[in-house]
Amino acid sequence: MSIWTSLEPASTTVDPGSTAVVRLRVRNTSDVVDEYRFVPVGDIAPYTTVEPPTIRLYPGTTGTVQLTIAPPRSPDATAGPNPYAVQIVSTEHPEATTVPEGNVTITPFTEVRAELVPPTVKGRFRGRPRLAVDNLGNTRMTASVTGNDNGGQLSYEMRPANIQIEPGRAAFVRATLKPRQIIWLGSKQQRPYRLSVRRSGATPLDVDGVYVQRNLLPRWLAGFAALLLALGAAAVALWLSYSPHVTSLAQAMPQAAVSTITSPTTAPTPVPSPPTTAPTPPPTTAAAAPATTPPSGGDGGGSGGSGGGGGSKPSPKPPADTAATAVKLLAAQSPGRHICYRAYVVGIGWQDPVCDGTMAGTTGQNRPIDSLDIAVSGVNGTAANAFLQDTGWNSKWHASVDGIDLYIGGTVDPLPMMGFAINVGNGSVCQNTIVHGGSWQGLGCDKPGSYIFGGTLDNSLWLEAVQFTV
């Protein structure tokens, strides 16, 4: 193929979200009429269009096509020099192609988003929110995270305090808030605070949250102590008011009687001492009915109620539904293979258990799953392991038999769960998951004797929803 080409200009610069135009001139130096087709190639090809896509040239004539380069304002448009090329395919000689090359420089831009998960935390001695920081720019971001509030009522600890985030990625900062003064009695107090993402040469990005500080001692305890003090004061006042008045009735004895008493002729009879052995206890009656313990938090502590306790006693709080209670009920109604599960979600806590392919967790709320509770029936038990942020896999697998709860992850100073591995004793187990910023990843099942992995090993993409079947 005989052809002459020229890019004008050979190098150009473009801002993400904008466009740059380059002209490509083509001359047919052969002696036959030919038609040429233009195909963008390289990393910039998705952002490059050619107009018109084909031209027809007579021998010795020149044609021009226009290349429009339009990188999006997203992390995919990598900042810096980016080579590009256009493949020219001849109709007369398709086996011979020409690829003129150029260079386009994409300018950098920064865009950061931060979110508190959850925005409100509660506690007596500390609160543990998480700050999710997303780098939506096209360059690596380095930042530090600090905290402050009006009046300096809280102290702050960040782990980590400095972060580096690649374009299109996210990082979690675990914050620990500690009040400088403890509320012993009284009502809870709301303490607004602010976490700031600080970058060199840029305005800090502030995220506001609320720490609800609870009192250490319950409010009813102060009322109960005041009641006891009032009863004690009333008892002392009654004792002082009704103390007995003693009057002596003794009279002077005649002298003769005195001499008779002071000169005895016989020794006085000794008074017998009290017995030293304890008296025999009365016969025992039938065993009393077991006393019920009132639930904590009742009015008056159970000793200051009006009417002498004539009302009925409150019923004890029913136990929480777990995956094991759900799978036992389901197996009783429909014998066979079943799996039930529930998720501990940040900002929500333990959800109600679901079974056999129903979703546990949340979608579109940016709430990580910290822990899973799983129970099975008819599959000869199950075993699982969790992959946690900044920690990786647990040191050992956790296993349980049919009908017993299996917990993976944690809810005490928890870490977001990135992924998990699971299997069952007989047959197969299938899973489907949603991770941060994505959709359902697709159903996957293990082979008997093996296991199936769900979620991701990416430290910045946490698990948000799961489904299981057996």
Side-chain angles (χ1 to χ4, degrees):
M1 176 178 65
S2 297
I3 189 175
W4 171 85
T5 62
S6 174
L7 282 172
E8 300 174 357
S11 298
T12 186
T13 301
V14 63
D15 297 328
S18 184
T19 60
V21 176
V22 177
R23 289 187 301 275
L24 174 60
R25 299 177 63 195
V26 180
R27 179 183 299 167
N28 183 3
T29 58
S30 67
D31 55 358
V32 296
V33 178
D34 205 347
E35 185 176 72
Y36 303 98
R37 180 166 53 91
F38 303 90
V39 181
V41 294
D43 295 338
I44 307 299
Y47 318 137
T48 305
T49 58
V50 181
E51 186 64 32
T54 61
I55 60 175
R56 185 178 180 86
L57 297 177
Y58 288 92
T61 60
T62 302
T64 302
V65 296
Q66 179 174 288
L67 279 63
T68 302
I69 304 174
R73 187 177 176 83
S74 73
D76 297 330
T78 306
N82 292 270
Y84 71 95
V86 179
Q87 183 182 32
I88 305 175
V89 181
S90 168
T91 302
E92 295 295 328
H93 304 281
E95 73 284 352
T97 60
T98 300
V99 184
E101 298 180 356
N103 187 76
V104 58
T105 299
I106 300 178
T107 59
F109 77 96
T110 58
E111 184 174 347
V112 183
R113 182 176 63 189
E115 180 182 7
L116 272 173
V117 182
T120 300
V121 291
K122 302 178 182 180
R124 293 179 174 86
F125 302 104
R126 62 182 57 85
R128 291 190 175 97
R130 293 188 185 91
L131 181 66
V133 183
D134 293 278
N135 182 7
L136 304 180
N138 63 351
T139 59
R140 176 187 296 178
M141 184 195 76
T142 301
S144 62
V145 181
T146 60
N148 64 85
D149 61 274
N150 293 330
Q153 299 173 337
L154 302 173
S155 64
Y156 303 86
E157 179 183 352
M158 306 297 173
R159 292 182 296 172
N162 298 287
I163 54 176
Q164 277 193 348
I165 311 176
E166 297 295 331
R169 297 294 184 178
F172 257 106
V173 177
R174 290 179 290 166
T176 301
L177 317 177
K178 294 182 179 180
R180 300 189 184 276
Q181 293 184 348
I182 298 176
I183 302 177
W184 294 95
L185 290 171
S187 59
K188 60 185 178 182
Q189 296 184 12
Q190 293 190 357
R191 304 195 185 280
Y193 68 94
R194 174 173 294 172
L195 299 185
S196 300
V197 181
R198 299 181 179 273
R199 296 168 291 145
S200 178
T203 303
L205 176 61
D206 297 329
V207 183
D208 294 329
V210 176
Y211 171 61
V212 180
Q213 184 179 359
R214 295 170 173 168
N215 55 321
L216 184 62
L217 301 178
R219 185 181 300 177
W220 62 263
L221 186 60
F224 184 63
L227 178 61
L228 288 180
L229 184 61
L231 290 176
V236 172
L238 288 174
W239 172 258
L240 295 178
S241 299
Y242 293 96
S243 60
H245 181 69
V246 180
T247 303
S248 176
L249 300 178
Q251 297 180 359
M253 298 183 66
Q255 185 66 28
V258 172
S259 62
T260 302
I261 293 175
T262 56
S263 302
T265 57
T266 60
T269 303
V271 179
S273 301
T276 57
T277 59
T280 304
T284 59
T285 60
T292 59
T293 303
S296 61
D299 295 337
S303 62
S306 62
S312 61
K313 297 181 179 180
S315 301
K317 183 178 180 181
D321 288 337
T322 67
T325 58
V327 81
K328 289 177 182 177
L329 180 61
L330 182 59
Q333 297 174 349
S334 175
R337 297 169 60 87
H338 298 289
I339 182 170
C340 294
Y341 42 93
R342 59 176 181 153
Y344 187 91
V345 180
V346 171
I348 296 178
W350 281 114
Q351 296 180 322
D352 293 333
V354 296
C355 302
D356 296 342
T358 305
M359 185 191 79
T362 60
T363 58
Q365 299 182 26
N366 291 332
R367 295 183 182 273
I369 291 178
D370 283 345
S371 181
L372 289 173
D373 171 19
I374 306 170
V376 295
S377 172
V379 297
N380 195 23
T382 182
N385 201 349
F387 187 87
L388 304 179
Q389 186 185 57
D390 299 330
T391 301
W393 290 108
N394 288 335
S395 59
K396 63 179 182 179
W397 281 64
H398 301 274
S400 68
V401 299
D402 283 3
I404 301 300
D405 286 305
L406 170 64
Y407 291 91
I408 58 175
T411 58
V412 178
D413 194 13
L415 294 171
M417 187 182 298
M418 306 291 103
F420 58 85
I422 186 172
N423 63 7
V424 292
N426 293 331
S428 298
V429 59
C430 302
Q431 59 76 34
N432 199 355
T433 61
I434 293 178
V435 298
H436 174 60
S439 57
W440 288 108
Q441 295 184 332
L443 190 66
C445 305
D446 70 333
K447 296 180 180 180
S450 181
Y451 65 88
I452 186 68
F453 172 79
T456 179
L457 299 180
D458 192 324
N459 205 41
S460 63
L461 300 178
W462 55 87
L463 194 64
E464 292 188 352
V466 297
Q467 294 175 334
F468 293 106
T469 57
V470 293

